[in-house]
Amino acid sequence: MKIILRTILLSSILLTTSCATIISGSRQNVEITSEPTSAKVYINEIEIGNTPVQKNLKRNQEYQLVLKLDGYETYETKLEKKFNAWFIGNIAFGGLIGIIIDPITGAMHKLKPEEIDGNPKNGTTYKTEGGNLFIKISMDIDPNSEKIGQLEKSE
């Protein structure tokens, strides 16, 4: 009886292993900040708020990221899906189900800002920490914009 129980337990562990889904999940928290702050953030043409802002995004698709702020050039980049190394755990631990589940849930991917020649787009810095993605964007002043006044503090 103990052998049967152990066999069932071991089989269920091996068959239900899907490393990337368990470790990373099918969504990734993305936090976007800008310099200066309060830029409007659009993901796939939908306004999600002003910087700093965070959004929990599905890992199995790419996103168009746009920041707009009066007096500054519009900033555009992509959040691309890249390979998540946790997916390899399915092969190492024999997780046949994980090899199927991780691509379906998107957990075999992680989101990263678009890179040009191996470097993030100019003005973009980012880091990943604990599965979260932190993006900071330095916006350039629009040379065509004209300053028409300055607010002053009242005393």
PDB file of all heavy atoms in Angstrom, residues 4 16 21 29 35 43 50 54 60 66 75 84 88 106 112 138 143:
ATOM      1  N   ILE A   4       2.341   1.904  -3.475  1.00  0.00           N
ATOM      2  CA  ILE A   4       1.348   2.458  -4.400  1.00  0.00           C
ATOM      3  C   ILE A   4       1.118   3.930  -4.112  1.00  0.00           C
ATOM      4  O   ILE A   4       1.079   4.758  -5.027  1.00  0.00           O
ATOM      5  CB  ILE A   4       0.017   1.662  -4.315  1.00  0.00           C
ATOM      6  CG1 ILE A   4       0.232   0.241  -4.821  1.00  0.00           C
ATOM      7  CG2 ILE A   4      -1.078   2.359  -5.110  1.00  0.00           C
ATOM      8  CD1 ILE A   4      -0.944  -0.675  -4.601  1.00  0.00           C
ATOM      9  N   THR A  16       2.558  17.094 -12.874  1.00  0.00           N
ATOM     10  CA  THR A  16       1.968  18.430 -12.726  1.00  0.00           C
ATOM     11  C   THR A  16       3.016  19.533 -12.619  1.00  0.00           C
ATOM     12  O   THR A  16       2.674  20.673 -12.394  1.00  0.00           O
ATOM     13  CB  THR A  16       1.055  18.491 -11.489  1.00  0.00           C
ATOM     14  OG1 THR A  16       1.823  18.168 -10.333  1.00  0.00           O
ATOM     15  CG2 THR A  16      -0.129  17.579 -11.629  1.00  0.00           C
ATOM     16  N   THR A  21       5.313  28.432 -14.832  1.00  0.00           N
ATOM     17  CA  THR A  21       4.001  28.856 -14.358  1.00  0.00           C
ATOM     18  C   THR A  21       4.003  28.954 -12.836  1.00  0.00           C
ATOM     19  O   THR A  21       3.481  29.904 -12.258  1.00  0.00           O
ATOM     20  CB  THR A  21       2.898  27.885 -14.827  1.00  0.00           C
ATOM     21  OG1 THR A  21       2.898  27.857 -16.255  1.00  0.00           O
ATOM     22  CG2 THR A  21       1.540  28.319 -14.336  1.00  0.00           C
ATOM     23  N   ASN A  29       4.263  41.980 -13.222  1.00  0.00           N
ATOM     24  CA  ASN A  29       4.023  43.337 -12.750  1.00  0.00           C
ATOM     25  C   ASN A  29       5.057  44.265 -13.384  1.00  0.00           C
ATOM     26  O   ASN A  29       6.250  44.023 -13.290  1.00  0.00           O
ATOM     27  CB  ASN A  29       4.121  43.395 -11.220  1.00  0.00           C
ATOM     28  CG  ASN A  29       3.641  44.717 -10.682  1.00  0.00           C
ATOM     29  OD1 ASN A  29       2.581  45.196 -11.055  1.00  0.00           O
ATOM     30  ND2 ASN A  29       4.423  45.310  -9.810  1.00  0.00           N
ATOM     31  N   GLU A  35      10.994  60.719 -15.996  1.00  0.00           N
ATOM     32  CA  GLU A  35      11.633  61.954 -15.556  1.00  0.00           C
ATOM     33  C   GLU A  35      11.378  62.979 -16.628  1.00  0.00           C
ATOM     34  O   GLU A  35      11.903  62.822 -17.731  1.00  0.00           O
ATOM     35  CB  GLU A  35      13.135  61.732 -15.355  1.00  0.00           C
ATOM     36  CG  GLU A  35      13.882  62.919 -14.837  1.00  0.00           C
ATOM     37  CD  GLU A  35      13.374  63.416 -13.491  1.00  0.00           C
ATOM     38  OE1 GLU A  35      13.109  62.610 -12.585  1.00  0.00           O
ATOM     39  OE2 GLU A  35      13.231  64.638 -13.372  1.00  0.00           O
ATOM     40  N   ILE A  43      -0.804  51.947 -22.990  1.00  0.00           N
ATOM     41  CA  ILE A  43      -0.368  50.613 -23.378  1.00  0.00           C
ATOM     42  C   ILE A  43      -1.369  50.121 -24.411  1.00  0.00           C
ATOM     43  O   ILE A  43      -2.572  50.053 -24.139  1.00  0.00           O
ATOM     44  CB  ILE A  43      -0.283  49.659 -22.180  1.00  0.00           C
ATOM     45  CG1 ILE A  43       0.811  50.138 -21.222  1.00  0.00           C
ATOM     46  CG2 ILE A  43      -0.006  48.226 -22.653  1.00  0.00           C
ATOM     47  CD1 ILE A  43       1.005  49.284 -19.998  1.00  0.00           C
ATOM     48  N   ASN A  50      -1.005  58.094 -15.091  1.00  0.00           N
ATOM     49  CA  ASN A  50       0.183  58.952 -15.161  1.00  0.00           C
ATOM     50  C   ASN A  50       1.314  58.337 -14.361  1.00  0.00           C
ATOM     51  O   ASN A  50       1.078  57.661 -13.359  1.00  0.00           O
ATOM     52  CB  ASN A  50      -0.128  60.343 -14.602  1.00  0.00           C
ATOM     53  CG  ASN A  50      -1.130  61.093 -15.453  1.00  0.00           C
ATOM     54  OD1 ASN A  50      -1.395  60.734 -16.594  1.00  0.00           O
ATOM     55  ND2 ASN A  50      -1.691  62.143 -14.905  1.00  0.00           N
ATOM     56  N   GLN A  54       1.801  51.363 -12.278  1.00  0.00           N
ATOM     57  CA  GLN A  54       2.146  49.950 -12.453  1.00  0.00           C
ATOM     58  C   GLN A  54       0.955  49.199 -13.006  1.00  0.00           C
ATOM     59  O   GLN A  54      -0.187  49.567 -12.792  1.00  0.00           O
ATOM     60  CB  GLN A  54       2.662  49.318 -11.176  1.00  0.00           C
ATOM     61  CG  GLN A  54       1.735  49.323 -10.007  1.00  0.00           C
ATOM     62  CD  GLN A  54       2.417  48.722  -8.780  1.00  0.00           C
ATOM     63  OE1 GLN A  54       3.602  48.470  -8.752  1.00  0.00           O
ATOM     64  NE2 GLN A  54       1.628  48.497  -7.759  1.00  0.00           N
ATOM     65  N   ASN A  60       2.337  36.518 -22.311  1.00  0.00           N
ATOM     66  CA  ASN A  60       2.322  35.864 -23.616  1.00  0.00           C
ATOM     67  C   ASN A  60       2.021  36.805 -24.782  1.00  0.00           C
ATOM     68  O   ASN A  60       1.653  36.348 -25.850  1.00  0.00           O
ATOM     69  CB  ASN A  60       1.360  34.690 -23.611  1.00  0.00           C
ATOM     70  CG  ASN A  60      -0.081  35.106 -23.388  1.00  0.00           C
ATOM     71  OD1 ASN A  60      -0.363  36.246 -23.068  1.00  0.00           O
ATOM     72  ND2 ASN A  60      -0.992  34.164 -23.543  1.00  0.00           N
ATOM     73  N   VAL A  66       3.561  53.956 -24.809  1.00  0.00           N
ATOM     74  CA  VAL A  66       3.695  55.354 -25.234  1.00  0.00           C
ATOM     75  C   VAL A  66       3.544  56.240 -24.006  1.00  0.00           C
ATOM     76  O   VAL A  66       2.643  56.041 -23.201  1.00  0.00           O
ATOM     77  CB  VAL A  66       2.620  55.719 -26.293  1.00  0.00           C
ATOM     78  CG1 VAL A  66       2.708  57.194 -26.668  1.00  0.00           C
ATOM     79  CG2 VAL A  66       2.749  54.836 -27.528  1.00  0.00           C
ATOM     80  N   TYR A  75       7.241  59.611 -26.277  1.00  0.00           N
ATOM     81  CA  TYR A  75       8.175  58.482 -26.164  1.00  0.00           C
ATOM     82  C   TYR A  75       7.431  57.204 -26.520  1.00  0.00           C
ATOM     83  O   TYR A  75       6.343  56.954 -26.005  1.00  0.00           O
ATOM     84  CB  TYR A  75       8.713  58.382 -24.731  1.00  0.00           C
ATOM     85  CG  TYR A  75       9.626  57.211 -24.530  1.00  0.00           C
ATOM     86  CD1 TYR A  75      10.995  57.333 -24.733  1.00  0.00           C
ATOM     87  CD2 TYR A  75       9.118  55.970 -24.167  1.00  0.00           C
ATOM     88  CE1 TYR A  75      11.839  56.249 -24.563  1.00  0.00           C
ATOM     89  CE2 TYR A  75       9.959  54.884 -23.996  1.00  0.00           C
ATOM     90  CZ  TYR A  75      11.312  55.023 -24.201  1.00  0.00           C
ATOM     91  OH  TYR A  75      12.141  53.955 -24.044  1.00  0.00           O
ATOM     92  N   ASN A  84      11.852  32.871 -20.873  1.00  0.00           N
ATOM     93  CA  ASN A  84      12.004  32.769 -19.423  1.00  0.00           C
ATOM     94  C   ASN A  84      12.740  31.462 -19.114  1.00  0.00           C
ATOM     95  O   ASN A  84      12.241  30.374 -19.395  1.00  0.00           O
ATOM     96  CB  ASN A  84      10.619  32.775 -18.760  1.00  0.00           C
ATOM     97  CG  ASN A  84      10.677  32.800 -17.256  1.00  0.00           C
ATOM     98  OD1 ASN A  84      11.727  32.639 -16.652  1.00  0.00           O
ATOM     99  ND2 ASN A  84       9.524  32.991 -16.645  1.00  0.00           N
ATOM    100  N   ILE A  88      13.035  25.913 -18.697  1.00  0.00           N
ATOM    101  CA  ILE A  88      13.975  24.796 -18.826  1.00  0.00           C
ATOM    102  C   ILE A  88      13.821  23.808 -17.670  1.00  0.00           C
ATOM    103  O   ILE A  88      14.092  22.626 -17.817  1.00  0.00           O
ATOM    104  CB  ILE A  88      15.424  25.318 -18.925  1.00  0.00           C
ATOM    105  CG1 ILE A  88      15.566  26.142 -20.206  1.00  0.00           C
ATOM    106  CG2 ILE A  88      16.436  24.193 -18.897  1.00  0.00           C
ATOM    107  CD1 ILE A  88      16.866  26.876 -20.340  1.00  0.00           C
ATOM    108  N   GLY A 106       1.716  31.488 -21.039  1.00  0.00           N
ATOM    109  CA  GLY A 106       2.643  32.587 -21.315  1.00  0.00           C
ATOM    110  C   GLY A 106       3.788  32.654 -20.329  1.00  0.00           C
ATOM    111  O   GLY A 106       4.651  33.513 -20.423  1.00  0.00           O
ATOM    112  N   LYS A 112      10.316  42.516 -21.419  1.00  0.00           N
ATOM    113  CA  LYS A 112      11.468  43.412 -21.325  1.00  0.00           C
ATOM    114  C   LYS A 112      11.273  44.528 -22.340  1.00  0.00           C
ATOM    115  O   LYS A 112      10.673  44.307 -23.385  1.00  0.00           O
ATOM    116  CB  LYS A 112      12.765  42.668 -21.657  1.00  0.00           C
ATOM    117  CG  LYS A 112      13.192  41.667 -20.612  1.00  0.00           C
ATOM    118  CD  LYS A 112      14.455  40.979 -21.020  1.00  0.00           C
ATOM    119  CE  LYS A 112      15.622  41.656 -20.361  1.00  0.00           C
ATOM    120  NZ  LYS A 112      16.894  40.990 -20.639  1.00  0.00           N
ATOM    121  N   SER A 138      13.507  58.645 -19.376  1.00  0.00           N
ATOM    122  CA  SER A 138      13.887  60.061 -19.345  1.00  0.00           C
ATOM    123  C   SER A 138      13.365  60.693 -20.631  1.00  0.00           C
ATOM    124  O   SER A 138      13.787  60.327 -21.719  1.00  0.00           O
ATOM    125  CB  SER A 138      15.403  60.218 -19.274  1.00  0.00           C
ATOM    126  OG  SER A 138      15.873  59.651 -18.074  1.00  0.00           O
ATOM    127  N   PRO A 143      11.752  70.370 -28.913  1.00  0.00           N
ATOM    128  CA  PRO A 143      12.316  71.644 -29.362  1.00  0.00           C
ATOM    129  C   PRO A 143      11.282  72.530 -30.073  1.00  0.00           C
ATOM    130  O   PRO A 143      11.474  73.738 -30.185  1.00  0.00           O
ATOM    131  CB  PRO A 143      13.439  71.220 -30.312  1.00  0.00           C
ATOM    132  CG  PRO A 143      13.090  69.843 -30.739  1.00  0.00           C
ATOM    133  CD  PRO A 143      12.297  69.235 -29.614  1.00  0.00           C
TER     134      PRO A 143
END
